[in-house]
Amino acid sequence: MPLITDRQRKWLIAAAIGTVALAAAALPFQQPATSAQTNAGSASETLSSGEELYKQHCLSCHAADGAGRGSNPALTTERFKKKYGTFEEAYGYISTEMPQNAPATLRDEDYEAIVNYVLSLNGIPTELSDIEAHWARDSILSLHRKRAVDGYIENGKLLYKPEQNITRAEFITYLVKAKQLFLSNGSGPDITDIAKSPYKTYIATAIEYGIVDGYPDSTFRPDQEITRSEIAAILTRSEALDKTGQDGGTAAAFGDVEGHWAEGLIYAAVRAELFDGYDDGTFRPARPITRAEAAAVIARVSP
């Protein structure tokens, strides 16, 4: 075999480098996807997947775009929106009635995709639009995907309102959903102000589990903003934490909880790293918390 001269070797190396450079130049340049683009793509994929699943399993009964067929009702009417206008309501109906020939046979994620698609046909948003750059975004999204938290529909958008203070009823409801507790059939012992509350079942469940209780006047005050001390007490009970210690262990001593009714409960939650205080050495037990802070706390105890 003839030997390759140095000149030929240099020429071959240069040619190879040029070929690689040309191939690289031919590749399309792609910007890394932003989180907003990723979420938009995810929402689009969910709707696309839901549409395909709908066509595969529901088209023969409910027709294209949910128009309805024969005795099968339309899924895009004002009556449907009024009766099944939330994810939970729509999921309850669709997962038990569809497909007509084999209801309740699809996977949960398939039903979720179909529900999102049907709600989109009705102009009902299913993706939160106000948490993209928020520090608690991941916790909120995680709980929202589990249907543990909900939002508000305003001007065609679904809002979580992360900086809005959360009420006692909302926090308890989100916690019960996140922990997947068996729901109560009762109304809560001796509680006089939850009969008409949409959160009645969740409040009664939490009371039966011993997670929360009412006030001495037999009220629960569901619409009252919940405080940091109340949440510390709820977390300590729900996680069965040891509340006998005070400022020992990993918990720092706070200058504003001594003698407080929830002192031991606060330190138990802090030792378990479910809650913390402020840089100035205070806990601020009477301070309300936001919906974002609530999501972050609940996510820590969510299975």
Side-chain angles (χ1 to χ4, degrees):
M1 179 182 292
L3 295 175
I4 299 176
T5 66
D6 289 341
R7 183 175 181 180
Q8 289 173 322
R9 185 180 292 107
K10 291 178 180 178
W11 182 88
L12 289 172
I13 293 172
I17 293 173
T19 301
V20 172
L22 286 172
L27 292 174
F29 176 74
Q30 293 183 329
Q31 290 278 7
T34 64
S35 56
Q37 291 169 330
T38 301
N39 289 340
S42 176
S44 176
E45 289 170 7
T46 299
L47 291 180
S48 176
S49 172
E51 182 178 8
E52 293 303 316
L53 288 166
Y54 175 87
K55 290 178 179 179
Q56 180 180 352
H57 298 286
C58 312
L59 188 64
S60 61
C61 298
H62 290 273
D65 298 329
R69 176 174 290 155
S71 61
N72 298 296
L75 305 176
T76 55
T77 63
E78 287 301 318
R79 181 177 180 276
F80 180 90
K81 289 173 67 174
K82 184 176 181 179
K83 194 171 183 180
Y84 305 112
T86 67
F87 181 92
E88 288 75 12
E89 292 166 340
Y91 186 93
Y93 171 74
I94 291 173
S95 64
T96 56
E97 300 293 333
M98 298 164 64
Q100 185 183 39
N101 61 339
T105 58
L106 303 183
R107 299 178 304 169
D108 288 344
E109 53 264 39
D110 292 342
Y111 276 121
E112 289 175 5
I114 292 172
V115 168
N116 283 331
Y117 170 66
V118 171
L119 291 175
S120 74
L121 292 177
N122 287 276
I124 300 173
T126 58
E127 298 292 329
L128 296 168
S129 62
D130 61 342
I131 62 170
E132 180 50 40
H134 200 279
W135 64 267
R137 172 185 173 276
D138 290 347
S139 295
I140 296 169
L141 280 181
S142 174
L143 293 174
H144 187 249
R145 291 190 182 110
K146 296 177 182 178
R147 304 300 161 188
V149 302
D150 52 19
Y152 305 85
I153 296 178
E154 295 182 1
N155 300 319
K157 294 183 177 181
L158 182 61
L159 308 176
Y160 184 73
K161 299 188 178 181
E163 297 308 312
Q164 177 175 294
N165 289 341
I166 194 168
T167 66
R168 285 168 53 82
E170 287 175 326
F171 184 86
I172 285 298
T173 297
Y174 294 169
L175 180 64
V176 168
K177 287 183 176 181
K179 293 184 71 65
Q180 302 173 10
L181 302 181
F182 290 104
L183 297 183
S184 168
N185 293 321
S187 58
D190 303 324
I191 300 298
T192 61
D193 61 345
I194 63 171
K196 296 182 179 180
S197 172
Y199 306 109
K200 170 185 173 181
T201 299
Y202 299 99
I203 295 170
T205 298
I207 291 174
E208 288 187 6
Y209 271 85
I211 292 174
V212 71
D213 48 25
Y215 291 93
D217 62 358
S218 297
T219 63
F220 185 80
R221 306 175 196 175
D223 298 326
Q224 180 174 293
E225 294 176 350
I226 196 166
T227 66
R228 286 169 53 83
S229 59
E230 289 174 326
I231 289 178
I234 289 167
L235 294 176
T236 298
R237 293 167 185 158
S238 73
E239 304 309 302
L241 302 178
D242 178 12
K243 59 183 179 181
T244 58
Q246 292 188 358
D247 60 347
T250 59
F254 300 115
D256 59 347
V257 301
E258 184 176 358
H260 194 279
W261 67 265
E263 180 180 359
L265 302 168
I266 290 170
Y267 282 120
V270 172
R271 282 194 301 272
E273 298 184 349
L274 300 179
F275 232 154
D276 51 24
Y278 293 91
D279 292 338
D280 62 358
T282 63
F283 184 80
R284 306 177 195 177
R287 180 175 178 171
I289 73 167
T290 65
R291 287 170 55 81
E293 291 171 324
V297 168
I298 292 172
R300 294 170 190 159
V301 298
S302 176

